[in-house]
């Protein structure tokens, strides 16, 4: 489990910009579970001592780059810094008239697109099927559940508090919720609320919660594996039940993905999500923490369930 002691605040001068460069002022920072993986020795790790980076929305304060003007709002993978320079590569302009700015870090950003592509392409929902979503009150899960409802599924969400259980039913139209902290036996809890079994399991958390859901899958069920946050802080992955026999005789499709796999279709996904948002068919929650100094605590809070919907830090 990361702690505050793993982070260091460093003061620097605001950089001068050269030819083709921009000076950016950070407005909003996305904190995300995948950053934990980059703090370990897995894929493309952060270097100890370097600034952490994630999706950031910034304002252009000065520009020597013909593609950007002073006052433009941009989004991109940027450092956790109050001010920084950029050569503009990888930055996308954000239209503040299209949707609230922070939506581009959540429902219209990586987490909304993850919900959309993983559910529609891998989950392939059909009307009348039962969809179970773990991490259901989070940024990805809350959108995945609502898309499942649009597709005509009966949707059950798994969350970590009774407040979140109420939230997913009241705000995100889930049919049922399970507080995993309040049930001693997840396999039985799922069997009770899913009497017809589970056709699609959208997995955000892994671990024992997923063991309980997998045991209730129907023949030909699909399992988009988005993440396994319950294991991100484990030094060794604990053994669980062996699921391969189940995969064979139930003809299961269990498929992992990285949202970057769908990059060529992001415009399509964003357009669909914006349409549903404007039609009132989906809605979203955000937990916005104020202050650059609170970035580490906001990130750590993801592993303590302190967010409803997208966790974002706003710089004052
Ligand atoms: P999030 O769900 O908004 O925030 C994390 C939530 O996880 C917490 O609020 C907490 O909710 C739950 N959680 C934390 N520790 C847990 C544990 N030990 N057991 C069960 N639940 C736990 O985060 P997100 O951004 O939407 O991401 C959700 C998942 O999708 C993550 O696994 C992430 O890595 C993955 N993801 C994958 C891709 C991809 O390309 N494959 C892209 C984006 C996100 P509770 O209070 O309900 O426990």
């Amino acid at each position: 489990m990361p702690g505050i002691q793993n982070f260091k605040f460093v003061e620097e001068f605001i950089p001068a910009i050269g030819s083709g460069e921009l000076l950016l002022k950070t407005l909003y920072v996305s904190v995300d579970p995948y950053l934990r993986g980059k703090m370990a020795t897995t894929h493309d790790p952060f270097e100890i001592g370097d600034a952490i980076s994630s999706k950031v929305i910034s304002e252009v304060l000065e520009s020597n780059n013909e593609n950007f003007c002073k006052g433009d709002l941009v989004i991109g993978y940027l450092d956790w810094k109050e001010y920084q320079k950029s050569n503009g590569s990888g930055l996308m302009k954000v239209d503040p008239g299209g949707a609230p700015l922070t939506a581009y870090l959540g429902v219209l950003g990586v987490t909304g697109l993850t919900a959309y592509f993983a559910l529609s392409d891998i989950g392939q929902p059909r009307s009348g099927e039962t969809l179970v979503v773990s991490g259901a009150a989070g940024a990805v899960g809350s959108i995945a559940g609502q898309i499942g409802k649009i597709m005509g599924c009966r949707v059950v969400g798994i969350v970590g508090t009774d407040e979140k259980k109420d939230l997913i039913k009241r705000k995100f139209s889930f049919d049922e919720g399970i507080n995993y902290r309040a049930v001693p036996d997840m396999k039985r809890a799922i069997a009770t609320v899913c009497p017809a079994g589970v056709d699609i399991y959208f997995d955000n958390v892994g671990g024992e919660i997923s063991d309980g859901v997998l045991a209730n899958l129907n023949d030909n069920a699909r399992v988009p594996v988005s993440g396994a946050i319950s294991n991100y802080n484990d030094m060794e992955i604990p053994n669980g039940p062996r699921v391969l026999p189940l995969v064979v005789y139930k003809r299961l499709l269990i498929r992992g993905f990285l949202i970057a796999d769908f990059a060529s279709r992001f415009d399509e996904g964003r357009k669909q999500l914006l349409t549903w948002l404007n039609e009132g068919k989906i809605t979203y929650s955000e937990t916005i923490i104020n202050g650059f100094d609170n970035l580490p605590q906001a990130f750590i809070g993801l592993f303590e369930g302190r967010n409803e919907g997208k966790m974002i830090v706003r710089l004052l």
Side-chain angles (χ1 to χ4, degrees):
M1 182 71 177
I4 293 292
Q5 72 283 359
N6 300 124
F7 295 82
K8 188 163 80 176
F9 286 93
V10 177
E11 288 195 24
E12 300 177 338
F13 287 105
I14 294 175
I17 58 168
S19 167
E21 292 185 328
L22 315 162
L23 178 64
L24 301 173
K25 180 182 192 300
T26 302
L27 303 179
Y28 296 99
V29 180
S30 173
V31 292
D32 298 271
Y34 78 90
L35 298 171
R36 180 65 183 86
K38 287 171 71 78
M39 293 171 190
T41 50
T42 53
H43 181 64
D44 190 20
F46 292 127
E47 292 295 328
I48 291 175
D50 280 0
I52 294 171
S53 55
S54 64
K55 269 278 163 91
V56 168
I57 296 178
S58 295
E59 179 184 348
V60 177
L61 290 188
E62 293 171 28
S63 176
N64 288 337
N65 182 312
E66 60 183 10
N67 297 319
F68 298 92
C69 301
K70 180 173 161 31
D72 279 349
L73 299 172
V74 294
I75 186 167
Y77 285 100
L78 292 165
D79 287 344
W80 287 10
K81 293 184 176 183
E82 294 171 289
Y83 298 88
Q84 60 198 294
K85 66 179 183 177
S86 158
N87 62 12
S89 143
L91 294 185
M92 189 182 91
K93 284 189 207 176
V94 183
D95 170 13
L101 263 190
T102 50
Y104 293 94
L105 295 178
V107 62
L108 300 177
V110 167
T111 52
L113 293 167
T114 297
Y116 173 73
F117 286 115
L119 184 62
S120 51
D121 273 48
I122 303 172
Q124 305 209 350
R126 289 186 286 266
S127 187
E129 289 189 323
T130 298
L131 162 68
V132 172
V133 181
S134 57
V140 173
S142 59
I143 304 300
Q146 293 177 86
I147 297 173
K149 287 303 294 177
I150 292 171
M151 304 293 175
C153 295
R154 179 168 182 274
V155 183
V156 173
I158 304 173
V159 292
T161 64
D162 285 344
E163 289 73 26
K164 289 185 179 182
K165 186 172 140 181
D166 289 344
L167 175 82
I168 61 169
K169 290 167 76 176
R170 181 174 34 82
K171 183 164 181 181
F172 301 128
S173 345
F174 283 62
D175 296 286
E176 275 300 340
I178 296 173
N179 173 359
Y180 64 83
R181 290 202 168 89
V183 296
D185 181 343
M186 182 55 67
K187 180 178 169 185
R188 184 174 295 185
I190 293 285
T192 305
V193 295
C194 303
V198 177
D199 301 299
I200 309 162
Y201 174 42
F202 193 114
D203 189 8
N204 285 308
V205 306
E208 289 178 11
I209 292 171
S210 296
D211 297 340
V213 184
L214 292 173
N216 283 282
L217 292 179
N218 289 331
D219 285 359
N220 299 303
R222 287 84 66 203
V223 183
V225 183
S226 169
I229 192 169
S230 74
N231 293 133
Y232 288 178
N233 293 319
D234 289 339
M235 303 297 282
E236 283 178 30
I237 302 297
N239 281 334
R242 311 274 175 191
V243 294
L244 290 182
L246 208 65
V247 172
V248 176
Y249 75 79
K250 291 199 168 183
R251 296 95 160 166
L252 304 179
L253 172 73
I254 300 180
R255 202 185 128 188
F257 66 95
L258 291 176
I259 189 56
D261 304 343
F262 297 95
S264 64
R265 294 173 56 202
F266 280 178
D267 283 348
E268 167 208 324
R270 209 174 279 115
K271 205 170 147 199
Q272 179 61 83
L273 289 161
L274 187 59
T275 303
W276 283 332
L277 209 51
N278 289 335
E279 290 173 350
K281 290 187 177 162
I282 57 172
T283 184
Y284 63 97
S285 283
E286 296 171 331
T287 299
I288 298 192
I289 308 282
N290 284 322
F292 184 80
D293 293 357
N294 289 320
L295 265 166
Q297 196 51 65
F299 167 70
I300 293 165
L302 293 169
F303 301 91
E304 300 169 335
R306 297 199 184 275
N307 60 307
E308 288 179 359
K310 185 74 195 87
M311 183 77 111
I312 293 170
V313 174
R314 171 169 48 206
L315 271 67
L316 299 171

